[in-house]
Amino acid sequence: MTHDERRTATAVAEAATARPRARLIDVATAAGVSPKTVSRVINDEAGVLPGTRDRVLQMVRDLGFVPDRSARELKRREADTIGILIDAISDPFFAAFVSVVEELAIAEGLSVIFASTGYDAARETAQLDRLTGHRLAGLIVAPVAVPAAVLAGLRHRCPVVTVDRVRSGIDSIVIDDFGAAAEATAALLSHGHRRVAFMGEDVPYPTVSDRLAGYRSALEAAGVAFDPSLVVTHERFRAGEAAEASLLLGRPDAPTALLCATSLAAIATVRAIRARGLRMPALISFGDFTLAEVLEPGITYVDHDPRLLGAAAFRRLRHLALHADDAPTRTVVPTRLVPRGSGEVPFAGSVERGGTGPVSASAPMALHPSDSVTAARTSPAAVALVHPEPSGAVAVPAAASLGAPS
């Protein structure tokens, strides 16, 4: 073998045993920093201390790290994904909500990824980290415990909108829970019922507490004393949902009417009635559910259309993508009471109203005014954009069609 041949063979052997190409994580480990810090240094971004920057650059040289051009080019591409963090995809409301957001996103060439919190604060944090690990064109959150400050920080990276619940300083899409519950309760009372029960959920959400407050306001307006024993709460995803409905409806002094604060509560109630052969009370569900219309009687419901909320949330995200500095708004999507029979079942007889004498089933009632009650009824094709003052004492409404550009 000639001298040149030996040199070539040696070079080939060395190349075969050369150490693997250094990765970004190798530089981070050697420099004692996070991969994100290394990324900032090699991309010449601000926010890195001079000493840290020098240490990282030294490790880059020592390890012979070469940034992946294709990865850097991919990073520069425009974000094309909408992230959605919801309670649970098993909830009929959120299943429909995600579906309409996805449909609208696909129409604009965007994709959707979603995660669920399971109503758990720790899981919410983990899922939020997972979602925001992607380059997002927008983020929709149904918050459990995440504070406004965290969402405000994310708002600097992409548009953020909350749905169903409000966080100060963040755009939100909500309904008038108080007003809708008051309207539903008043409807039951107008049919002569005075023992009207409320089935809610044991969750720390203002949605449920606002619905309970609306229920109590309607009772008070009708001169019906509030009975705490007629308020039942249950935990989500617990087998006892139907059992609690059975206990309520199986009492000797069972209520003759029931407002279910969620569609899941209504489903549990129907199961309890069927399982024990209980008498069907006049019933209104807050939210529709599958096959509710084919029951006998059909289930009357408060329509807080998830399609409208999903469309409003998506439109607001797309608006913020072009107008990131716009002041946060609260979009209130209108609701309507949809009669199907169960909510219109009349009370079989007359009752005493506050001990002053019998009350006709058609006796008129006036609800107490509330800041959260919208006086004018609007069509399902429109929403009201509300810009609240920091104190929440003043609101200026403005109409906007869901189909019109923002």
Side-chain angles (χ1 to χ4, degrees):
M1 180 180 294
T2 66
H3 176 68
D4 288 341
E5 289 174 333
R6 284 196 299 272
R7 287 182 60 186
T8 301
T10 300
V12 170
E14 289 177 349
T17 58
R19 65 185 180 187
R21 178 179 176 177
R23 301 167 302 168
L24 186 143
I25 187 63
D26 299 323
V27 176
T29 301
V33 298
S34 69
K36 188 173 182 178
T37 298
V38 175
S39 179
R40 285 177 175 171
V41 171
I42 63 178
N43 287 301
D44 198 25
E45 296 177 6
V48 181
L49 295 173
T52 301
R53 185 180 297 275
D54 291 342
R55 188 166 71 253
V56 170
L57 290 175
Q58 184 62 51
M59 290 302 103
V60 168
R61 290 189 290 269
D62 291 349
L63 297 176
F65 173 73
V66 178
D68 188 333
R69 280 184 176 273
S70 61
R72 294 182 70 179
E73 288 301 317
L74 182 62
K75 183 177 179 181
R76 290 193 185 101
R77 291 180 189 172
E78 184 179 356
D80 63 354
T81 301
I82 302 295
I84 308 176
L85 184 59
I86 56 174
D87 293 341
I89 198 63
S90 59
D91 187 319
F93 173 86
F94 281 112
F97 177 89
V98 171
S99 178
V100 74
V101 173
E102 182 178 45
E103 182 179 338
L104 293 171
I106 290 174
E108 293 196 16
L110 303 172
S111 59
V112 168
I113 55 174
F114 75 90
S116 61
T117 64
Y119 315 95
D120 180 78
R123 178 172 166 178
E124 176 185 47
T125 299
Q127 294 285 55
L128 198 56
D129 287 343
R130 183 176 75 83
L131 282 177
T132 54
H134 298 267
R135 296 194 69 244
L136 299 178
L139 176 66
I140 300 172
V141 180
V144 175
V146 59
V150 171
L151 296 180
L154 295 174
R155 197 170 184 261
H156 294 297
R157 296 168 51 183
C158 70
V160 177
V161 170
T162 65
V163 64
D164 202 41
R165 297 142 216 163
V166 174
R167 288 294 184 271
S168 178
I170 304 297
D171 291 80
S172 60
I173 312 296
V174 296
I175 65 167
D176 176 13
D177 291 288
F178 179 100
E183 180 185 14
T185 306
L188 293 171
L189 292 166
S190 72
H191 291 291
H193 299 281
R194 291 300 178 266
R195 289 190 60 73
V196 181
F198 178 94
M199 175 172 270
E201 293 178 320
D202 187 17
V203 291
Y205 296 157
T207 50
V208 175
S209 59
D210 285 350
R211 291 170 193 178
L212 177 59
Y215 157 82
R216 294 190 62 170
S217 176
L219 293 180
E220 182 182 356
V224 177
F226 170 67
D227 182 353
S229 72
L230 294 181
V231 175
V232 177
T233 60
H234 66 83
E235 297 177 13
R236 284 195 176 187
F237 304 123
R238 190 167 65 82
E241 290 177 5
E244 289 175 358
S246 295
L247 290 174
L248 177 67
L249 299 177
R251 289 166 37 171
D253 60 344
T256 63
L258 176 62
L259 174 61
C260 294
T262 66
S263 57
L264 294 179
I267 292 170
T269 300
V270 172
R271 284 175 178 166
I273 292 170
R274 292 297 178 90
R276 293 190 55 188
L278 299 171
R279 180 181 177 184
M280 178 77 171
L283 187 149
I284 295 179
S285 169
F286 213 107
D288 198 10
F289 56 92
T290 303
L291 300 181
E293 74 279 6
V294 302
L295 296 174
E296 185 56 45
I299 304 301
T300 297
Y301 70 102
V302 175
D303 183 16
H304 55 127
D305 193 340
R307 296 169 300 173
L308 288 180
L309 276 92
F314 182 79
R315 286 183 61 249
R316 188 60 187 168
L317 282 184
R318 302 308 288 156
H319 175 88
L320 291 173
L322 300 176
H323 309 280
D325 295 330
D326 275 12
T329 65
R330 181 179 302 183
T331 304
V332 181
V333 175
T335 61
R336 61 188 180 118
L337 189 60
V338 180
R340 284 186 178 149
S342 68
E344 295 70 53
V345 174
F347 176 72
S350 62
V351 294
E352 297 294 318
R353 177 173 173 175
T356 60
V359 176
S360 166
S362 61
M365 287 161 291
L367 298 182
H368 288 178
S370 167
D371 288 341
S372 62
V373 176
T374 302
R377 304 302 294 166
T378 57
S379 71
V383 296
L385 300 185
V386 178
H387 307 266
E389 296 294 328
S391 65
V394 179
V396 182
S401 168
L402 281 179
S406 296

